[in-house]
Amino acid sequence: MKALEDKILSQGKVLPGNVLNVSSFLNHMIDADFSMQMGAEIKRLFAGEKIDKILTIEASGIALAVATAAALHVPMLFAKKSKTSNLSGEFYQAKIHSYTHSNDYTAIVNRNYISKGERILIVDDFLANGEAVRGLIKIVSDAGAVLAGAAVAVEKGFQPGGRMLREQGIHLESLAVIESMTDSSVTFRKQ
Amino acid sequence: MKALEDKILSQGKVLPGNVLNVSSFLNHMIDADFSMQMGAEIKRLFAGEKIDKILTIEASGIALAVATAAALHVPMLFAKKSKTSNLSGEFYQAKIHSYTHSNDYTAIVNRNYISKGERILIVDDFLANGEAVRGLIKIVSDAGAVLAGAAVAVEKGFQPGGRMLREQGIHLESLAVIESMTDSSVTFRKQ
């Protein structure tokens, strides 16, 4: 999505440790109109797929997920982050490692809100190592639902998450794929 | 907002401790189309106010806040929850007590994203004791911005948050105000 690449170039900041800071429009301050445009673009990219529900994880995935859900006129469900496993049986859960924060957390989703056979599209703001998406895929699978695909705003193409998901045959769409970053430049993969 | 009251009556569940569970459409699973309708209603209720930015707090305020921001064509900013005070000076911050979780946390907002004189509308899903809204008001004030008002989906009218904000002269709009709840009934305040 050319408009997203332009926005990353004009507003993004590369920080030490291969961190791309896009908090001025994507994950702290949100350009709401632009989120709606990204949601409409994800709808277009998955035009061939039946999608019953959007699944994301709190907090920074929510804005894009609700924009996508509004474009598709389907519900959105966000997994909550819990520090502990919940043993009550009320939740589907997946353990996720955060490279950003160097810790583990458990993503939980109330069992009432995913049904067997439902077609789920996972949406998130960033894809790097793919830990969060893999956790959400486990939840979709545990629920007996069907993974329609995954869509992210920004994929770090030099980290393995995207490649691993594609190798599994998952329909993954990334609105912008960063091929490489230096302090002074960001290079995108041609799509 | 009659449609919200109807949805609370048909889908909400009253749990012990005066908890209203609306996680099937408001704060775990999100009815995205309905969120957009609520955002449009908040726009209508603040039609007389100039609003430059929406401010909310992660995670369950984000969906309604982005819907409101999209309706108004302004940016949305969400405060992040931190377990510790951040001493770097990079953030505006406010200590907030959570009655739900019986703990304190610090809401933080990057100083770059609120400007002096900007007119801010605070949006959240729930208003009970008003702790979160008061924390966000402190951040608006610390930034030298102007509080245009506050809008919430559901106000628990039998808890003091709404009354205290109105007594301070704050323009508060609650799409539904719950006057009382029992295990078997929910009564709304006439608006």
Side-chain angles (χ1 to χ4, degrees):
Chain A
M1 188 182 181
K2 177 72 165 50
L4 177 56
E5 294 180 358
D6 290 346
K7 230 168 151 71
I8 291 168
L9 291 175
S10 63
Q11 296 187 36
K13 284 176 200 155
V14 179
L15 304 179
N18 271 329
V19 172
L20 176 68
N21 182 327
V22 285
S23 62
S24 68
F25 68 94
L26 191 65
N27 49 22
H28 181 21
M29 188 153 73
I30 307 285
D31 183 329
D33 285 338
F34 191 68
S35 292
M36 300 309 287
Q37 290 171 36
M38 289 193 288
E41 175 67 5
I42 292 171
K43 176 185 175 175
R44 192 187 67 79
L45 291 166
F46 285 89
E49 303 274 0
K50 180 174 181 297
I51 293 164
D52 299 313
K53 195 169 282 173
I54 304 297
L55 177 65
T56 189
I57 185 159
E58 67 177 4
S60 54
I62 294 176
L64 182 58
V66 77
T68 306
L72 288 162
H73 303 293
V74 298
M76 182 275 272
L77 176 63
F78 68 88
K80 301 191 179 196
K81 291 177 181 173
S82 168
K83 257 153 287 163
T84 53
S85 299
N86 184 298
L87 303 172
S88 77
E90 193 186 348
F91 298 96
Y92 296 115
Q93 46 190 294
K95 198 170 155 186
I96 295 177
H97 179 73
S98 166
Y99 286 90
T100 313
H101 300 104
S102 300
N103 62 10
D104 291 337
Y105 61 90
T106 302
I108 61 172
V109 168
N110 189 302
R111 286 175 182 258
N112 292 329
Y113 301 142
I114 308 189
S115 307
K116 203 176 163 182
E118 261 189 332
R119 296 183 58 86
I120 309 279
L121 176 65
I122 292 170
V123 170
D124 208 355
D125 58 338
F126 262 94
L127 174 65
N129 289 294
E131 285 284 321
V133 171
R134 268 199 300 283
L136 295 176
I137 290 172
K138 176 187 180 293
I139 286 171
V140 169
S141 168
D142 287 353
V146 179
L147 183 69
V152 300
V154 183
E155 177 185 339
K156 290 178 165 175
F158 52 89
Q159 287 181 249
R163 179 177 52 73
M164 288 163 68
L165 294 171
R166 290 187 184 93
E167 283 175 0
Q168 289 173 56
I170 290 164
H171 181 184
L172 169 67
E173 298 282 356
S174 303
L175 300 184
V177 181
I178 296 175
E179 198 64 68
S180 62
M181 300 195 300
T182 69
D183 289 358
S184 56
S185 74
V186 174
T187 309
F188 296 101
R189 187 182 298 169
K190 288 210 170 59
Q191 294 199 81
Chain B
M1 187 183 183
K2 177 70 165 54
L4 176 57
E5 294 180 358
D6 290 346
K7 230 168 153 67
I8 291 167
L9 291 177
S10 63
Q11 294 187 36
K13 283 177 203 155
V14 180
L15 304 180
N18 271 329
V19 172
L20 176 67
N21 182 327
V22 284
S23 63
S24 69
F25 68 94
L26 190 65
N27 49 21
H28 181 22
M29 189 152 74
I30 306 286
D31 184 329
D33 285 338
F34 191 69
S35 293
M36 301 308 288
Q37 290 171 36
M38 288 194 289
E41 175 66 6
I42 292 171
K43 176 185 176 176
R44 191 187 67 78
L45 291 166
F46 285 89
E49 303 274 0
K50 181 175 180 298
I51 293 165
D52 299 313
K53 194 169 283 173
I54 304 298
L55 178 64
T56 189
I57 184 159
E58 66 177 5
S60 55
I62 294 176
L64 182 58
V66 78
T68 306
L72 288 162
H73 303 293
V74 298
M76 182 275 272
L77 176 62
F78 68 89
K80 300 190 180 200
K81 291 177 180 173
S82 168
K83 258 153 289 166
T84 52
S85 298
N86 184 299
L87 304 171
S88 78
E90 192 186 348
F91 298 95
Y92 295 115
Q93 47 190 294
K95 197 170 156 188
I96 295 177
H97 179 73
S98 166
Y99 287 89
T100 313
H101 300 105
S102 300
N103 62 10
D104 291 338
Y105 61 89
T106 302
I108 62 173
V109 168
N110 189 302
R111 285 175 182 259
N112 292 328
Y113 302 141
I114 308 190
S115 307
K116 202 176 163 181
E118 260 189 332
R119 296 183 57 86
I120 309 279
L121 175 65
I122 292 170
V123 170
D124 208 354
D125 58 338
F126 262 93
L127 174 65
N129 289 294
E131 285 284 320
V133 171
R134 269 199 300 281
L136 294 176
I137 290 173
K138 174 185 182 293
I139 286 172
V140 170
S141 169
D142 287 354
V146 179
L147 183 70
V152 299
V154 183
E155 176 185 340
K156 288 178 166 175
F158 52 89
Q159 288 181 250
R163 178 178 52 73
M164 288 163 70
L165 294 171
R166 290 186 183 94
E167 282 175 2
Q168 289 174 56
I170 290 164
H171 181 182
L172 168 67
E173 298 282 357
S174 303
L175 300 183
V177 180
I178 296 175
E179 198 64 69
S180 63
M181 298 195 300
T182 68
D183 290 357
S184 56
S185 74
V186 173
T187 307
F188 296 101
R189 186 181 297 168
K190 286 211 170 59
Q191 292 198 83

